Amino acid sequence: MSEILYWQALNQALDAELAADDAVFTLGEDVGLYGGTYRVSEGLMAKYGEWRVRDTPISENSFTGLGVGAAMLGLRPVVEIMTINFALFAMDSLVNMAAKIPFMSGGQFPMPLTIRMPGGVARQLGAQHSQRLESMFMNVPGLRIAVPSTPQDAYWQLRQAIRSDDPVIVLEHELLYFSKGEVDTHASAPPLHQALIRRPGRDLTCISYSRMVPLALEAAQALHAEGVEMEVIDLRSLSPIDWATCVESVLRTHRCLIVEEDCRFAGVGAELAAELQERCFYQLDAPIQRVAGLDLPTPFNAKLEAASIPRQEDILKAARALLNLPQGES
């Protein structure tokens, strides 16, 4: 076990799969000579050659479509779309091809395609480069979506995605790339789409994913000092969702808080709240609450940008309200 950065965990996972299976290759803008925008493919072109670590033109739909075709022929492509914002150019390949071909072929063509996408609000990149489009992809049957929040999950889930015969989008938050954590490359991984309880608690359940998980854990630690034990669930997957883990926790704590960076309207939290309300209604002691980003394009100004997405104090305020506690230390 070693303590490494999030991007290094992804790099090791990709390296391991390239070494293990000649059918694996990666392609995208700047993945080769440059080593990837966030260094995820650093050193891999020199090790495996330009045919397996392939630089592409700036043409997202073209090289994503190339990945779809390669997957149909039995290869295991790993497509890097430089940012989730650019995935909008590849929607035909992702939505009409990758997600549909296994179904339309009656299973004759599996789709062992991995699509890596950095995304999220990442310090003054402007509205067009700070979008959180995960709820859009959740609405596409046939696509699986992994959202690793730790270096360990980044390592596990990328390797599992590459080995899957289904198309898997791996969403990597841009502010997590230089976060550090322990990674055990020999440990047995939980299923790709299993949620994990990051911190057990008895008073309320907080469900989150990606960069909001560390924020929720910080809030849980602050609440602990006030005598409140908040359970924190890391979804790890947005499609499918591990409802069993979420429901079991909410039935035990009787209160639920959902935290997401994306806009509140029609977001991930809306789906979570609707489903959990149906499943847990008679055991809830308070309405399900949501903390989410503001429904507006992300501002460029640093202070306005920070105000547009959830902060620790927002989570604390919502948790105290759920428990009918005064705002401040209990």
Side-chain angles (χ1 to χ4, degrees), residues 233-269:
I233 293 178
D234 182 352
L235 284 176
R236 300 179 70 246
S237 169
L238 299 180
S239 182
I241 288 173
D242 179 2
W243 294 112
T245 297
C246 297
V247 168
E248 187 279 331
S249 177
V250 174
L251 292 181
R252 183 163 33 80
T253 66
H254 307 287
R255 291 176 172 85
C256 181
L257 173 63
I258 298 165
V259 180
E260 62 180 320
E261 185 180 278
D262 199 1
C263 301
R264 179 183 173 94
F265 179 74
V268 177

Side-chain angles (χ1 to χ4, degrees), residues 20 34 47 53 68 98 109 150 211 221 264-265 269 283 301:
Y34 188 70
K47 189 171 183 179
V53 183
V68 170
F109 287 106
T150 67
R211 193 179 82 86
Q221 184 61 35
R264 179 183 173 94
F265 179 74
Q283 284 77 33
N301 176 276

Side-chain angles (χ1 to χ4, degrees), residues 121-188:
V121 177
R123 297 198 179 99
Q124 292 185 273
L125 295 183
Q128 294 176 333
H129 289 72
S130 300
Q131 297 177 97
R132 294 86 68 195
L133 303 175
E134 51 265 33
S135 60
M136 181 184 299
F137 291 108
M138 284 175 66
N139 197 242
V140 181
L143 293 178
R144 297 178 179 269
I145 306 170
V147 279
S149 69
T150 67
Q152 180 71 77
D153 273 348
Y155 178 83
W156 276 338
Q157 290 185 290
L158 180 55
R159 296 200 67 176
Q160 290 170 313
I162 295 171
R163 295 177 186 177
S164 173
D165 287 333
D166 297 318
V168 182
I169 293 174
V170 180
L171 292 183
E172 306 154 4
H173 199 289
E174 295 182 36
L175 291 184
L176 290 178
Y177 280 115
F178 293 94
S179 62
K180 185 176 284 190
E182 290 187 339
V183 174
D184 186 345
T185 58
H186 300 291
S188 297

Side-chain angles (χ1 to χ4, degrees), residues 26-36 45 50 53-57:
T26 185
L27 69 159
E29 298 155 0
D30 289 334
V31 301
L33 289 173
Y34 188 70
M45 176 180 270
E50 64 178 356
V53 183
R54 193 76 176 163
D55 279 324
T56 68

Side-chain angles (χ1 to χ4, degrees), residues 7-8 10-12 14-16 18-19 26 30-50 52-55 80:
W7 74 262
Q8 293 173 317
L10 291 165
N11 177 269
Q12 289 187 19
L14 186 53
D15 188 5
L18 285 164
T26 185
D30 289 334
V31 301
L33 289 173
Y34 188 70
T37 307
Y38 291 97
R39 304 176 67 180
V40 171
S41 52
E42 186 174 84
L44 298 183
M45 176 180 270
K47 189 171 183 179
Y48 297 102
E50 64 178 356
R52 298 188 65 200
V53 183
R54 193 76 176 163
D55 279 324
E80 177 184 310

Side-chain angles (χ1 to χ4, degrees), residues 65-96:
L66 190 155
V68 170
M72 291 176 68
L73 293 174
L75 298 177
R76 293 189 175 274
V78 182
V79 172
E80 177 184 310
I81 297 178
M82 189 179 286
T83 160
I84 194 172
N85 306 276
F86 300 164
L88 295 173
F89 295 107
M91 291 300 276
D92 184 49
S93 292
L94 291 170
V95 176
N96 286 327

